[in-house]
């Protein structure tokens, strides 16, 4: 998938932009806080129907403005053109359209424009809570398996209902709580099966990419940990219902799934340096890219690289440059404050590229 043109009005600090883009490499240069990340976030929004950095859509509207608008012209491998539009006024819901037809459910859009964002916040997958690592799985699987989105949503609904009953002052109806437990178990085991299949295929790719980044000098592993591995999920959930009642929420289920990340056999969170953590996170994201590319859609995802070279030594930077410059990657967006990193990529490979200057939300094409 290629983003041919992007139009932005009142999105964060970008008042207006209408940019024709390179089908291969798009480099955004500028100091921190100028709007480079906001430009990438606009692309992310058109893919996922939400920002990568803000959970509240109204906060994306430029200060003292009444609305924001995003519109992207995407071109698929077969030449089909997809016009994707999103607009939102303050105090109203957002409107998301594909080729001028509004979606009834935003979940119908997920997966149409596969995308991977690599950013400094990715180290939260290592040093953050288990929610960050579940998000890693959910972001990829949801882009190629619509049934997964439905199963996960149904599970979360059942979980919320069970938790509400657990919080009641009076004793909840056992028959009612069992209904939600049965739904949690059925949907949760479906989610678990899809996560397990994903991890088994994903890990070898991740390990190969990490080996390339660190020149085969370090061993890494990723293991999936789930309550489903303790037996039938319904039994696991019901086994400690009295404990759940005491604390007021569900202690067991796939909402507690995690990934055990290790370096040289030791927990990555405790063992890794800043450079190793960043290399690990980048390898996880590039492996997600490769996995998405190999799914049934056979659509090459768009790759967004936001300030990825900070805290990496020259050797790791060089290896990452070699990886992303390869033929297996399609359209790439990359931001940096230092043009030297970009020149290393551009001078080593013969492909189409554009360099943009970003200053106070204004985006302009630079002479190469």
């Amino acid at each position: 998938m290629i983003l041919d043109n992007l139009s932005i009005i009142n999105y964060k600090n970008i008042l207006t932009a209408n940019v024709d883009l390179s089908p291969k490499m798009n480099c955004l240069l500028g100091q921190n806080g100028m709007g480079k990340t906001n430009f990438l976030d606009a692309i992310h929004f058109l893919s996922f129907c939400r920002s990568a950095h803000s959970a509240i859509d109204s906060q994306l509207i430029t200060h003292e403005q009444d609305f924001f608008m995003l519109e992207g012209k995407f071109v698929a491998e077969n030449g089909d053109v997809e016009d994707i539009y999103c607009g939102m006024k303050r105090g109203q819901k957002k409107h998301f359209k594909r080729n001028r037809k509004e979606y009834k459910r935003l979940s119908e859009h997920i997966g149409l424009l596969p995308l991977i964002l690599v950013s400094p916040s990715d180290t939260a997958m290592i040093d953050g809570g288990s929610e960050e690592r579940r998000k890693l799985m959910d972001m990829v699987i949801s882009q190629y398996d619509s049934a997964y989105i439905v199963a996960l949503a149904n599970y979360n609904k059942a979980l919320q209902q069970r938790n509400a009953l657990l919080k009641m002052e009076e004793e909840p109806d056992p028959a009612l709580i069992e209904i939600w437990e049965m739904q949690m178990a059925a949907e949760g085991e479906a989610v678990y099966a899809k996560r397990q299949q994903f991890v088994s295929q994903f890990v070898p790719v991740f390990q190969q990419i990490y080996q390339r980044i660190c020149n085969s000098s370090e061993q890494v592993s990723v293991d999936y940990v789930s309550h489903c591995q303790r037996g039938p999920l319904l039994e696991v959930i019901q086994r400690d219902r009295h404990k759940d009642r005491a604390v007021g929420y569900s202690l067991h289920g796939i909402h507690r799934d995690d990934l055990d990340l290790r370096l040289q056999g030791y927990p990555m969170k405790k063992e890794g340096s800043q450079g190793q953590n960043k290399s690990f996170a980048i390898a996880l994201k590039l492996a997600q890219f490769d996995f998405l590319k190999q799914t049934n859609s056979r659509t090459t995802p768009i790759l967004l690289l936001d300030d990825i070279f900070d805290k990496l030594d020259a050797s790791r930077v060089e290896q990452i440059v070699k990886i992303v410059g390869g033929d297996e990657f399609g359209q790439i967006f990359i931001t940096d404050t230092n043009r030297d990193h970009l020149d290393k990529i551009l001078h080593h490979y013969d492909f189409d590229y554009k360099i943009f200057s970003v200053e106070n939300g204004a985006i302009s094409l630079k002479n190469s």
Side-chain angles (χ1 to χ4, degrees):
M1 187 67 70
I2 300 297
L3 176 56
D4 186 59
N5 175 272
L6 178 62
S7 179
I8 302 174
I9 298 176
N10 299 335
Y11 192 82
K12 298 187 177 182
N13 78 326
I14 303 175
L15 284 174
T16 181
N18 192 300
V19 185
D20 292 323
L21 299 158
S22 164
K24 180 58 181 177
M25 180 75 73
N26 295 277
C27 308
L28 293 102
L29 280 170
Q31 297 304 308
N32 292 328
M34 291 292 104
K36 305 185 304 296
T37 297
N38 294 341
F39 187 87
L40 298 190
D41 196 52
I43 302 173
H44 183 281
F45 200 106
L46 289 176
S47 176
F48 288 99
C49 307
R50 62 178 179 82
S51 166
H53 307 291
S54 176
I56 303 175
D57 292 333
S58 61
Q59 294 179 353
L60 305 172
I61 302 173
T62 305
H63 294 310
E64 301 180 359
Q65 300 298 320
D66 296 325
F67 71 98
F68 81 75
M69 186 280 293
L70 303 174
E71 188 167 14
K73 177 185 175 185
F74 295 83
V75 182
E77 274 83 348
N78 62 5
D80 289 348
V81 176
E82 299 282 359
D83 185 87
I84 306 300
Y85 165 92
C86 182
M88 179 179 178
K89 294 181 180 179
R90 287 195 188 278
Q92 299 183 20
K93 70 172 187 177
K94 61 190 171 190
H95 294 273
F96 222 94
K97 299 179 182 180
R98 176 185 179 185
N99 299 324
R100 301 185 179 182
K101 183 178 180 181
E102 187 155 2
Y103 283 102
K104 293 181 179 179
R105 293 183 298 274
L106 294 182
S107 60
E108 297 173 359
H109 178 70
I110 306 303
L112 177 68
L113 310 173
L115 177 147
I116 292 295
L117 167 65
V118 185
S119 74
S121 64
D122 290 336
T123 54
M125 292 186 294
I126 297 166
D127 52 37
S130 60
E131 180 182 357
E132 297 294 334
R133 292 177 286 280
R134 288 192 297 275
K135 191 186 300 181
L136 180 157
M137 296 185 282
D138 295 342
M139 290 285 283
V140 180
I141 302 172
S142 64
Q143 291 189 70
Y144 67 85
D145 189 338
S146 58
Y148 180 83
I149 303 175
V150 175
L152 186 59
N154 289 340
Y155 176 88
N156 287 330
K157 178 182 177 181
L159 173 65
Q160 291 171 0
Q161 295 295 329
R162 183 177 190 264
N163 284 348
L165 292 173
L166 293 172
K167 290 182 173 71
M168 291 174 60
E169 291 186 12
E170 65 273 17
E171 195 63 28
D173 182 349
L176 183 58
I177 202 169
E178 185 172 7
I179 289 174
W180 294 118
E181 289 170 344
M182 292 175 65
Q183 183 170 344
M184 282 178 63
E187 303 291 358
E189 289 183 342
V191 169
Y192 167 73
K194 293 175 184 293
R195 285 178 176 174
Q196 186 179 45
Q197 181 182 28
F198 162 71
V199 172
S200 66
Q201 296 175 305
F202 169 83
V203 170
V205 179
F206 157 72
Q207 290 173 322
Q208 182 181 26
I209 292 174
Y210 189 89
Q211 292 294 308
R212 290 180 65 184
I213 293 175
C214 72
N215 285 310
S216 302
S217 61
E218 300 163 358
Q219 298 296 320
V220 290
S221 64
V222 176
D223 291 308
Y224 181 29
V225 181
S226 175
H227 289 150
C228 286
Q229 293 157 350
R230 300 181 182 181
L233 187 55
L234 182 60
E235 293 181 11
V236 174
I237 293 171
Q238 293 182 335
R239 192 177 300 154
D240 289 322
R241 187 192 289 175
H242 64 287
K243 291 183 181 179
D244 294 355
R245 178 81 171 113
V247 298
Y249 56 87
S250 302
L251 292 168
H252 297 88
I254 55 99
H255 61 288
R256 306 296 291 269
D257 284 3
D258 204 350
L259 294 173
D260 183 20
L261 313 179
R262 292 185 174 260
L263 171 69
Q264 305 291 91
Y266 297 97
M268 190 70 199
K269 184 183 293 189
K270 298 179 180 178
E271 190 73 10
S273 66
Q274 281 188 324
Q276 288 171 323
N277 285 352
K278 188 154 191 177
S279 300
F280 199 103
I282 290 172
L284 285 172
K285 283 302 189 77
L286 294 183
Q288 290 178 45
F289 177 97
D290 187 87
F291 190 91
L292 275 180
K293 188 177 179 181
Q294 300 307 320
T295 57
N296 293 335
S297 64
R298 299 293 176 182
T299 300
T300 303
I302 295 172
L303 181 62
L304 310 181
L305 303 174
D306 190 14
D307 190 26
I308 66 167
F309 297 120
D310 185 43
K311 296 183 176 66
L312 293 177
D313 59 44
S315 173
R316 292 176 190 252
V317 169
E318 182 180 357
Q319 293 304 317
I320 293 171
V321 166
K322 289 180 179 178
I323 292 171
V324 301
D327 293 337
E328 62 266 34
F329 289 91
Q331 189 179 34
I332 299 172
F333 293 80
I334 185 167
T335 72
D336 210 320
T337 58
N338 183 349
R339 179 157 179 172
D340 291 345
H341 294 143
L342 303 179
D343 284 340
K344 286 181 181 178
I345 298 176
L346 301 175
H347 291 165
H348 276 80
Y349 300 95
D350 182 22
F351 49 53
D352 184 83
Y353 68 87
K354 287 184 178 181
I355 300 177
F356 299 93
S357 174
V358 184
E359 186 171 355
N360 293 321
I363 299 153
S364 58
L365 184 65
K366 289 177 65 73
N367 294 325
S368 57

